[in-house]
Amino acid sequence: MTEEQGEYDEEFIATLELMWGEGFLSPGGPDEVSRIVEGLALAGQEVLDIGCGIGGCDLHLVRAHDAGHVLGIDVEPQLIERARAMAKKAGLRERLEFEQVKPGPLSYVDDCFDVVFSKDAMIHIPDKEALYKEVLRVLKPGGHFRASDWLSGSAAEPSPEMQRWHELLDLGFAMATPEKTAAAMTAAGFQAVEVIRRDDWFLQQCRDDADRLSGEAYDGLVEIRGREAADAYVERTRLRVTIVEQGELCPCHLRATKAP
Ligand SMILES: C[S@@+](CC[C@H](N)C(=O)[O-])C[C@H]1O[C@@H](n2cnc3c(N)ncnc32)[C@H](O)[C@@H]1O
């Protein structure tokens, strides 16, 4: 993998799209994106998406929720290139913009977004409190933070299955517990903080992923990765089922607002 390609190289993107659908590097597709922004009126709103990947979530926010403008940011240039190509193809370049950023503070002025959205990307960012402070800073007064993130179900020592999953994954993951996440959002200054567990939905999703990758999608997976790497990927997907059953991995929705 080259430095340019970062953690999400072409092979990995193709694997994730095989599993989760075109444009998506995280599970649940358009329905899950809609659940994250449930109850918000996004029409005409200015949205920031932190860790936009190849832009599938953002396309849905514009097409299905009529968001006025979405700025998707990501640290990996090849993802930004693909997201831009997708926006061009969709004829939505005015409303869907993508920018490569460096990890760390956001380079936007205070109070400039109506909504900050993020889907399964904050797991890559270790300093959660600094991150939430930045999110709060760039939100307009009364603005909303809506995200999903992969959290750690327990602060205890990871099980052998969890350790093996991390080894196979080889991604820079920094997971906090739901309690620490809520505390960090509150400490950052957010109001109406909610951390909503998605255990049942996610467990079913993980089981479906494992079944598909070892069944109907297996040949496609071998085509993308070769047999040995495909088998390792199937193992990793099965381990994900186990660590969710054990309560060690628990994706949650995060909701909070900035004081008006
Ligand atoms: C699991 S993918 C999810 C992508 C997209 N949100 C989706 O659901 O399809 C996580 C994304 O976070 C990005 N990422 C990692 N660290 C980041 C950071 N510090 N700032 C912004 N994005 C980051 C990765 O490059 C990757 O595109």
Side-chain angles (χ1 to χ4, degrees):
M1 198 186 299
T2 66
E3 198 180 313
E4 267 289 282
Q5 285 194 312
E7 292 186 327
Y8 289 79
D9 63 1
E10 285 301 320
E11 195 178 86
F12 192 31
I13 296 170
T15 304
L16 296 179
E17 284 191 291
L18 175 74
M19 199 161 43
W20 292 326
E22 190 183 344
F24 290 94
L25 306 183
S26 68
D31 289 351
E32 184 62 1
V33 173
S34 290
R35 278 190 288 265
I36 293 168
V37 297
E38 205 169 64
L40 295 182
L42 289 184
Q45 300 263 289
E46 188 69 35
V47 180
L48 174 69
D49 176 11
I50 299 178
C52 61
I54 53 178
C57 300
D58 310 302
L59 181 63
H60 183 69
L61 291 175
V62 168
R63 279 209 175 136
H65 294 273
D66 200 24
H69 181 261
V70 182
L71 173 62
I73 59 172
D74 204 287
V75 289
E76 301 212 7
Q78 79 286 357
L79 301 180
I80 292 298
E81 243 172 65
R82 294 210 14 178
R84 283 185 180 144
M86 174 280 293
K88 187 175 174 197
K89 196 169 158 211
L92 285 167
R93 276 200 300 182
E94 306 281 296
R95 291 171 70 190
L96 271 179
E97 282 187 86
F98 297 97
E99 195 175 301
Q100 188 198 344
V101 296
K102 288 196 186 328
L106 299 170
S107 63
Y108 311 107
V109 297
D110 297 355
D111 306 339
C112 63
F113 295 100
D114 297 296
V115 173
V116 174
F117 171 93
S118 181
K119 173 98 171 56
D120 303 342
M122 292 180 161
I123 186 172
H124 291 291
I125 302 174
D127 189 345
K128 309 293 181 197
E129 205 164 307
L131 168 68
Y132 299 141
K133 277 189 183 145
E134 275 298 277
V135 171
L136 187 77
R137 182 183 68 73
V138 300
L139 272 175
K140 293 178 186 172
H144 298 275
F145 171 43
R146 290 293 182 95
S148 84
D149 199 14
W150 288 21
L151 305 187
S152 168
S154 130
E157 270 298 289
S159 67
E161 293 83 9
M162 185 74 168
Q163 287 176 26
R164 175 77 181 138
W165 180 69
H166 271 295
E167 259 168 49
L168 286 173
L169 207 62
D170 197 22
L171 286 172
F173 275 0
M175 292 192 282
T177 60
E179 295 72 27
K180 280 203 167 151
T181 301
M185 285 160 71
T186 305
F190 274 109
Q191 297 189 342
V193 169
E194 285 182 89
V195 176
I196 304 161
R197 293 182 73 125
R198 300 284 292 134
D199 303 79
D200 293 346
W201 169 78
F202 191 66
L203 180 56
Q204 191 53 53
Q205 174 75 46
C206 291
R207 288 180 174 148
D208 292 348
D209 291 344
D211 289 348
R212 273 199 69 236
L213 288 189
S214 55
E216 67 192 67
Y218 181 71
D219 290 346
L221 188 64
V222 171
E223 213 169 287
I224 294 167
R225 309 178 77 89
R227 190 163 299 275
E228 202 178 319
D231 289 343
Y233 201 87
V234 170
E235 182 196 345
R236 159 175 160 179
T237 310
R238 289 219 180 91
L239 276 171
R240 179 151 52 84
V241 175
T242 307
I243 60 176
V244 175
E245 283 170 347
Q246 290 173 178
E248 292 179 283
L249 175 63
C250 70
C252 292
H253 286 185
L254 316 184
R255 295 183 174 185
T257 55
K258 179 166 174 172

